[in-house]
Amino acid sequence: MKKTTYILGIESSCDETAASILKVEGGDFEILSSVISSQVKVHAKFGGIVPEVAARLHIEKVLPIIESAIKEADLTMKQVDYLAVCSGPGLISSLMVGVETVKVLAHTFNKPLIKVNHIEGHLLSISDKLKFPAIGLVVSGGHTQIILAKDYLKYELLGETRDDAAGEAFDKVAKILDLGYPGGPAISKIAEIGNVSDLKLEIDLPRPMLDSKNYDMSFSGLKTAVLYKWQELKETLGKKDLEKSKVLIAREFQQAAIDVLITKTLKAAKEYKAKTVVLGGGVSANKLLRTEFEQTIKKTLPSVELLVPELAMTGDNAAMIAQAAYYHIKKKDFSDPLDLKSDPNWQLV
Ligand code: KG4
Ligand code: ZN
């Protein structure tokens, strides 16, 4: 690898089209650009992601986004050394747009091509600060996994959700309460700012699998508990109180999900003597999750360092893809542009 290397990363696995230029100099990272075109407003009208709509928008955006990432970094395509693309897991038609585009670019411009797993991208979104062994909690709309990283590229899956991802549960609960899409930001907002001190109501929701001996989790039962509670309240409360009760449900739901995520992750950190715990994925933007993680680690595992991505790096982005690619480049783990295929179910471990 040259002393100064430029990696172009591309991400299109779900509903964000993203491109980024990462400069690597003597092993130090500098993100020169990270351009993200989010389709969230379009899908919000449908209450969730519509794959065909996502793919069509990716097709429109992918080249302009790549061009702006290169331009913002003040480079030309010629100066880019490596092309990295997320090839799974994700929505097949969304992945294909990024993957096929980058294959053509790699072939035409004769650049080495690196495929990156989306989960690995989230896991390595602050990769240069990791100390091993590290425990990663990747928590997004599609995944909820606790991963042991013994080193870069050496992972073991300790546990994952057996049903819905945590972000998916946020989205579904928001739908039940008619709070809009995506649910995570909507739920955390109403939980934080709602003032319902005059409403005499206790909401108690389960913490599924909190005390189970493994690192697996489950969020579907929690969502169903919200649904039943909501149906019960609709029959017993007046319109005004029902509206207010959303705040209490959102608060308790958020707390229940966070309790499970923190307990399981810290149990793993203790068991595997982790030096760092790293968060990644859309749900790691959650304010309460971030502060409670910080406080609990300080109290129970003070020697462990908690790494939390900047807000712009929590959701899907291409800087994380370029960063993860760096470790594959070091191992000369390249893909053939004529062979690479999108893999919607690609398991990292
Ligand atoms: O990583 P991401 O952008 O896409 C996937 O790979 O899935 O994550 C999106 C998920 C959505 O389910 C969204 O509701 C959730 O992240 N999310 C949040 C927050 N912001 C986004 N969940 C809880 N609290 C938030 N503040
Ligand atoms: Zn993601």
Side-chain angles (χ1 to χ4, degrees):
M1 212 183 292
K2 293 191 300 190
K3 189 175 170 284
T4 306
T5 301
Y6 297 103
I7 306 170
L8 169 62
I10 285 126
E11 156 67 46
S12 72
S13 67
C14 194
D15 61 339
E16 264 95 25
T17 325
S20 166
I21 295 282
L22 177 72
K23 177 181 175 185
V24 187
E25 201 162 42
D28 289 334
F29 288 174
E30 188 185 348
I31 298 166
L32 298 185
S33 63
S34 178
V35 185
I36 304 171
S37 164
S38 172
Q39 309 171 355
V40 74
K41 284 200 180 115
V42 179
H43 297 291
K45 286 186 222 143
F46 302 100
I49 295 166
V50 185
E52 292 77 9
V53 174
R56 269 177 232 144
L57 290 171
H58 282 308
I59 292 170
E60 277 175 28
K61 294 283 180 196
V62 69
L63 286 174
I65 293 286
I66 292 173
E67 276 178 352
S68 9
I70 297 175
K71 203 166 163 199
E72 222 177 88
D74 226 356
L75 295 181
T76 60
M77 189 62 175
K78 226 176 151 188
Q79 289 168 285
V80 171
D81 298 293
Y82 300 95
L83 300 177
V85 65
C86 166
S87 62
L91 299 169
I92 178 71
S93 45
S94 287
L95 287 165
M96 278 172 70
V97 180
V99 170
E100 299 307 317
T101 304
V102 178
K103 279 162 68 175
V104 175
L105 294 177
H107 190 68
T108 314
F109 289 92
N110 197 23
K111 312 255 183 215
L113 172 66
I114 302 99
K115 62 171 181 178
V116 173
N117 182 295
H118 186 79
I119 307 281
E120 186 175 40
H122 279 305
L123 184 69
L124 296 181
S125 58
I126 359 177
S127 56
D128 47 342
K129 298 202 179 71
L130 284 182
K131 288 191 203 95
F132 301 101
I135 294 290
L137 171 69
V138 175
V139 66
S140 70
H143 304 273
T144 301
Q145 296 192 330
I146 296 176
I147 295 165
L148 166 67
K150 292 179 178 157
D151 200 344
Y152 295 111
L153 315 187
K154 287 207 175 112
Y155 313 120
E156 208 177 289
L157 179 65
L158 299 182
E160 62 184 332
T161 181
R162 293 192 178 170
D163 37 58
D164 293 351
E168 192 180 350
F170 271 89
D171 294 336
K172 286 179 175 170
V173 165
K175 205 168 195 174
I176 294 170
L177 301 179
D178 205 14
L179 295 174
Y181 177 87
I187 288 192
S188 60
K189 187 171 163 208
I190 183 173
E192 201 179 328
I193 62 168
N195 179 4
V196 287
S197 47
D198 57 332
L199 181 64
K200 297 276 166 283
L201 183 70
E202 282 272 341
I203 307 278
D204 282 313
L205 294 171
R207 271 79 175 144
M209 301 186 71
L210 187 72
D211 299 316
S212 68
K213 295 244 173 319
N214 51 29
Y215 298 105
D216 281 349
M217 291 157 279
S218 161
F219 293 98
S220 160
L222 175 58
K223 165 212 68 194
T224 310
V226 169
L227 178 66
Y228 289 157
K229 192 75 206 168
W230 181 241
Q231 283 169 344
E232 180 197 312
L233 293 177
K234 276 209 284 197
E235 284 173 13
T236 51
L237 293 182
K239 215 173 162 193
K240 262 193 179 158
D241 281 352
L242 187 65
E243 203 52 39
K244 285 184 188 168
S245 75
K246 286 184 183 176
V247 175
L248 297 180
I249 298 176
R251 261 184 214 156
E252 172 67 0
F253 164 76
Q254 180 173 247
Q255 192 64 57
I258 287 175
D259 285 352
V260 174
L261 292 169
I262 294 182
T263 305
K264 293 275 171 172
T265 309
L266 294 193
K267 191 174 143 193
K270 205 169 166 191
E271 165 90 24
Y272 291 92
K273 301 193 171 40
K275 293 202 173 105
T276 42
V277 166
V278 62
L279 308 186
V283 182
S284 68
N286 187 281
K287 228 176 170 176
L288 191 71
L289 178 80
R290 292 161 84 101
T291 51
E292 289 209 353
F293 240 116
E294 189 78 55
Q295 287 164 356
T296 320
I297 283 215
K298 258 198 194 128
K299 214 160 67 194
T300 58
L301 295 170
S303 60
V304 178
E305 190 189 3
L306 177 70
L307 299 174
V308 186
E310 279 172 37
L311 281 182
M313 293 283 284
T314 55
D316 291 348
N317 65 85
M320 69 182 195
I321 300 300
Q323 294 193 95
Y326 169 73
Y327 303 96
H328 292 280
I329 294 168
K330 286 216 303 198
K331 294 236 147 98
K332 301 205 169 15
D333 180 11
F334 301 123
S335 294
D336 182 339
L338 297 178
D339 280 351
L340 180 63
K341 284 200 172 55
S342 304
D343 184 353
N345 301 313
W346 182 9
Q347 306 271 343
L348 176 63
V349 269

